[in-house]
Amino acid sequence: DTGVSQDPRHKITKRGQNVTFRCDPISEHNRLYWYRQTLGQGPEFLTYFQNEAQLEKSRLLSDRFSAERPKGSFSTLEIQRTEQGDSAMYLCASSFPEPGWGEKLFFGSGTQLSVL
Amino acid sequence: ELKVEQNPLFLSMQEGKNYTIYCNYSTTSDRLYWYRQDPGKSLESLFVLLSNGAVKQEGRLMASLDTKARLSTLHITAAVHDLSATYFCAADSGGGADGLTFGKGTHLIIQP
């Protein structure tokens, strides 16, 4: 399977605990995005990498959230001191934009986080 | 700040009927994307519209873009049950920064 993969698929944690999610993008894609989606809403942009550089972060991303893409391949998203409001589906997407072809994102299946 | 609004947010229709989903966006964006999401699944890209007047069709779905009106439409022709899903439109501000801004989605149910 050469699609975007995310691990774990589901995570249940207690408030105050730290959690880490992993995303493996499509191998030739140089851009990687993290989004958050809550029930009944569209995905909300969190952050974006071009290769290993984190180029943009949403103001939604509090200082409890940190993302890395150390070698420009897989990425991790860590949430420290989780709160109930962090409960959501965390989606990873990757792309390889080509001039004149826009930015078609390929999404992974997501990690569903539940904070109790 | 780029904002994207879809309507309707919920649509129940019968098989065989035609309908249109509308997507308005607030600031200049020449690129518009449509995605489909099935329950519990991730998003699947349907169409990428890159210029004013762009029209793309696949099967019973046709998408168009009017950048002057800041409007995109997704038209469903002779709907079938398999098209039941949530459809999202998304616009970008160009250059990858801020990613795509998504609408809230249109939850479409097609009944036999």
Side-chain angles (χ1 to χ4, degrees):
Chain A
D1 188 329
T2 57
V4 178
S5 62
Q6 292 187 245
D7 184 69
R9 290 294 307 275
H10 303 275
K11 179 71 176 179
I12 300 173
T13 192
K14 293 182 179 178
R15 189 175 54 186
Q17 297 295 304
N18 299 343
V19 294
T20 300
F21 311 141
R22 177 179 170 124
C23 171
D24 287 88
I26 294 172
S27 58
E28 60 267 28
H29 286 184
N30 60 349
R31 287 188 178 174
L32 186 147
Y33 295 82
W34 286 98
Y35 284 83
R36 179 172 64 190
Q37 186 179 24
T38 53
L39 197 62
Q41 302 294 316
E44 296 175 303
F45 170 77
L46 293 179
T47 190
Y48 138 71
F49 291 84
Q50 178 141 328
N51 300 312
E52 66 276 10
Q54 188 173 17
L55 296 187
E56 197 74 25
K57 291 198 295 185
S58 167
R59 61 183 178 278
L60 295 175
L61 209 66
S62 79
D63 56 6
R64 296 185 298 106
F65 287 69
S66 62
E68 294 183 342
R69 193 183 183 197
K71 297 182 180 178
S73 56
F74 73 93
S75 176
T76 58
L77 177 68
E78 180 183 16
I79 309 173
Q80 296 182 325
R81 306 180 303 281
T82 53
E83 301 173 356
Q84 288 184 327
D86 297 332
S87 297
M89 174 75 83
Y90 289 84
L91 295 167
C92 176
S94 69
S95 73
F96 187 83
E98 297 179 52
W101 289 94
E103 178 121 31
K104 180 175 173 179
L105 300 186
F106 293 79
F107 282 85
S109 298
T111 294
Q112 181 66 54
L113 173 65
S114 298
V115 182
L116 305 178
Chain B
E1 180 187 353
L2 178 59
K3 293 185 179 179
V4 178
E5 290 188 358
Q6 288 182 237
N7 71 83
L9 298 182
F10 181 83
L11 176 59
S12 179
M13 57 192 292
Q14 288 186 316
E15 280 191 329
K17 300 291 187 182
N18 303 332
Y19 210 82
T20 300
I21 300 170
Y22 297 88
C23 174
N24 290 91
Y25 53 95
S26 62
T27 63
T28 301
S29 176
D30 291 335
R31 298 181 288 195
L32 199 292
Y33 306 77
W34 284 95
Y35 285 83
R36 167 180 173 151
Q37 187 175 37
D38 291 298
K41 302 290 181 64
S42 193
L43 287 84
E44 173 191 356
S45 176
L46 294 175
F47 300 109
V48 179
L49 303 168
L50 299 177
S51 61
N52 186 42
V55 177
K56 295 251 181 108
Q57 182 165 4
E58 183 162 341
R60 301 174 188 273
L61 300 178
M62 183 174 71
S64 65
L65 177 62
D66 180 346
T67 58
K68 294 180 181 177
R70 296 179 184 166
L71 171 69
S72 179
T73 61
L74 180 67
H75 187 72
I76 303 155
T77 302
V80 293
H81 178 69
D82 286 352
L83 291 178
S84 297
T86 299
Y87 292 86
F88 292 95
C89 66
D92 76 47
S93 54
D98 296 336
L100 299 184
T101 300
F102 283 80
K104 290 187 175 182
T106 296
H107 184 50
L108 174 64
I109 295 176
I110 298 168
Q111 299 176 350

